[in-house]
PDB file of all heavy atoms in Angstrom:
ATOM      1  N   ALA A  93       2.534  19.000  -0.606  1.00  0.00           N
ATOM      2  CA  ALA A  93       1.636  18.111  -1.115  1.00  0.00           C
ATOM      3  C   ALA A  93       1.615  18.230  -2.613  1.00  0.00           C
ATOM      4  O   ALA A  93       1.460  17.166  -3.259  1.00  0.00           O
ATOM      5  CB  ALA A  93       0.216  18.352  -0.591  1.00  0.00           C
ATOM      6  N   ASP A  94       1.676  19.442  -3.239  1.00  0.00           N
ATOM      7  CA  ASP A  94       1.735  19.607  -4.550  1.00  0.00           C
ATOM      8  C   ASP A  94       2.925  18.940  -5.213  1.00  0.00           C
ATOM      9  O   ASP A  94       2.934  18.229  -6.196  1.00  0.00           O
ATOM     10  CB  ASP A  94       1.628  21.060  -4.914  1.00  0.00           C
ATOM     11  CG  ASP A  94       0.291  21.556  -5.114  1.00  0.00           C
ATOM     12  OD1 ASP A  94      -0.684  20.753  -5.471  1.00  0.00           O
ATOM     13  OD2 ASP A  94       0.101  22.764  -4.814  1.00  0.00           O
ATOM     14  N   ALA A  95       4.036  19.072  -4.482  1.00  0.00           N
ATOM     15  CA  ALA A  95       5.359  18.602  -5.038  1.00  0.00           C
ATOM     16  C   ALA A  95       5.258  17.107  -5.006  1.00  0.00           C
ATOM     17  O   ALA A  95       5.823  16.436  -5.894  1.00  0.00           O
ATOM     18  CB  ALA A  95       6.551  19.168  -4.131  1.00  0.00           C
ATOM     19  N   LEU A  96       4.685  16.522  -4.043  1.00  0.00           N
ATOM     20  CA  LEU A  96       4.662  15.084  -3.766  1.00  0.00           C
ATOM     21  C   LEU A  96       3.722  14.529  -4.957  1.00  0.00           C
ATOM     22  O   LEU A  96       4.151  13.454  -5.545  1.00  0.00           O
ATOM     23  CB  LEU A  96       4.043  14.746  -2.356  1.00  0.00           C
ATOM     24  CG  LEU A  96       3.727  13.280  -2.178  1.00  0.00           C
ATOM     25  CD1 LEU A  96       5.038  12.484  -2.206  1.00  0.00           C
ATOM     26  CD2 LEU A  96       2.970  13.019  -0.845  1.00  0.00           C
ATOM     27  N   LYS A  97       2.656  15.301  -5.218  1.00  0.00           N
ATOM     28  CA  LYS A  97       1.781  14.759  -6.266  1.00  0.00           C
ATOM     29  C   LYS A  97       2.437  14.718  -7.635  1.00  0.00           C
ATOM     30  O   LYS A  97       2.454  13.683  -8.225  1.00  0.00           O
ATOM     31  CB  LYS A  97       0.567  15.698  -6.424  1.00  0.00           C
ATOM     32  CG  LYS A  97      -0.500  15.464  -7.439  1.00  0.00           C
ATOM     33  CD  LYS A  97      -1.482  16.485  -7.398  1.00  0.00           C
ATOM     34  CE  LYS A  97      -2.512  16.264  -8.457  1.00  0.00           C
ATOM     35  NZ  LYS A  97      -3.594  17.443  -8.397  1.00  0.00           N
ATOM     36  N   LYS A  98       3.292  15.716  -7.955  1.00  0.00           N
ATOM     37  CA  LYS A  98       3.981  15.790  -9.177  1.00  0.00           C
ATOM     38  C   LYS A  98       5.014  14.723  -9.220  1.00  0.00           C
ATOM     39  O   LYS A  98       5.277  13.998 -10.178  1.00  0.00           O
ATOM     40  CB  LYS A  98       4.699  17.146  -9.333  1.00  0.00           C
ATOM     41  CG  LYS A  98       3.713  18.189  -9.879  1.00  0.00           C
ATOM     42  CD  LYS A  98       4.590  19.353 -10.416  1.00  0.00           C
ATOM     43  CE  LYS A  98       3.639  20.714 -10.506  1.00  0.00           C
ATOM     44  NZ  LYS A  98       3.728  21.571  -9.330  1.00  0.00           N
ATOM     45  N   MET A  99       5.817  14.532  -8.167  1.00  0.00           N
ATOM     46  CA  MET A  99       6.813  13.512  -8.098  1.00  0.00           C
ATOM     47  C   MET A  99       6.282  12.164  -8.257  1.00  0.00           C
ATOM     48  O   MET A  99       6.876  11.322  -9.109  1.00  0.00           O
ATOM     49  CB  MET A  99       7.562  13.530  -6.793  1.00  0.00           C
ATOM     50  CG  MET A  99       8.682  12.777  -6.710  1.00  0.00           C
ATOM     51  SD  MET A  99       8.560  11.441  -5.522  1.00  0.00           S
ATOM     52  CE  MET A  99       9.011  12.372  -4.002  1.00  0.00           C
ATOM     53  N   LEU A 100       5.154  11.793  -7.559  1.00  0.00           N
ATOM     54  CA  LEU A 100       4.518  10.451  -7.777  1.00  0.00           C
ATOM     55  C   LEU A 100       4.075  10.238  -9.194  1.00  0.00           C
ATOM     56  O   LEU A 100       4.187   9.156  -9.802  1.00  0.00           O
ATOM     57  CB  LEU A 100       3.297  10.197  -6.815  1.00  0.00           C
ATOM     58  CG  LEU A 100       3.827  10.204  -5.295  1.00  0.00           C
ATOM     59  CD1 LEU A 100       2.551  10.019  -4.410  1.00  0.00           C
ATOM     60  CD2 LEU A 100       4.628   9.098  -5.018  1.00  0.00           C
ATOM     61  N   GLN A 101       3.512  11.294  -9.893  1.00  0.00           N
ATOM     62  CA  GLN A 101       3.075  11.244 -11.123  1.00  0.00           C
ATOM     63  C   GLN A 101       4.279  10.768 -12.079  1.00  0.00           C
ATOM     64  O   GLN A 101       4.253   9.960 -13.058  1.00  0.00           O
ATOM     65  CB  GLN A 101       2.511  12.562 -11.751  1.00  0.00           C
ATOM     66  CG  GLN A 101       1.027  12.601 -11.347  1.00  0.00           C
ATOM     67  CD  GLN A 101       0.495  13.968 -11.579  1.00  0.00           C
ATOM     68  OE1 GLN A 101       1.191  14.937 -11.744  1.00  0.00           O
ATOM     69  NE2 GLN A 101      -0.851  14.098 -11.392  1.00  0.00           N
ATOM     70  N   LYS A 102       5.354  11.472 -11.856  1.00  0.00           N
ATOM     71  CA  LYS A 102       6.705  11.354 -12.604  1.00  0.00           C
ATOM     72  C   LYS A 102       7.091   9.849 -12.415  1.00  0.00           C
ATOM     73  O   LYS A 102       7.535   9.205 -13.447  1.00  0.00           O
ATOM     74  CB  LYS A 102       7.739  12.310 -12.167  1.00  0.00           C
ATOM     75  CG  LYS A 102       9.013  12.273 -12.852  1.00  0.00           C
ATOM     76  CD  LYS A 102       9.847  13.319 -12.251  1.00  0.00           C
ATOM     77  CE  LYS A 102      11.374  13.046 -12.448  1.00  0.00           C
ATOM     78  NZ  LYS A 102      12.201  13.854 -11.577  1.00  0.00           N
ATOM     79  N   LEU A 103       6.999   9.348 -11.165  1.00  0.00           N
ATOM     80  CA  LEU A 103       7.401   7.899 -10.818  1.00  0.00           C
ATOM     81  C   LEU A 103       6.273   6.958 -11.367  1.00  0.00           C
ATOM     82  O   LEU A 103       6.570   5.735 -11.173  1.00  0.00           O
ATOM     83  CB  LEU A 103       7.788   7.696  -9.587  1.00  0.00           C
ATOM     84  CG  LEU A 103       8.961   8.612  -8.956  1.00  0.00           C
ATOM     85  CD1 LEU A 103       9.149   8.325  -7.491  1.00  0.00           C
ATOM     86  CD2 LEU A 103      10.237   8.374  -9.677  1.00  0.00           C
ATOM     87  N   ASN A 104       5.235   7.347 -11.789  1.00  0.00           N
ATOM     88  CA  ASN A 104       4.113   6.609 -12.242  1.00  0.00           C
ATOM     89  C   ASN A 104       3.604   5.780 -11.058  1.00  0.00           C
ATOM     90  O   ASN A 104       3.362   4.500 -11.221  1.00  0.00           O
ATOM     91  CB  ASN A 104       4.610   5.679 -13.343  1.00  0.00           C
ATOM     92  CG  ASN A 104       3.300   5.308 -14.132  1.00  0.00           C
ATOM     93  OD1 ASN A 104       2.194   5.907 -14.097  1.00  0.00           O
ATOM     94  ND2 ASN A 104       3.526   4.375 -15.081  1.00  0.00           N
TER      95      ASN A 104
END
Side-chain angles (χ1 to χ4, degrees):
D94 271 331
L96 177 66
K97 184 180 169 182
K98 282 200 194 96
M99 189 248 278
L100 291 176
Q101 273 167 355
K102 184 176 153 197
L103 299 179
N104 211 7

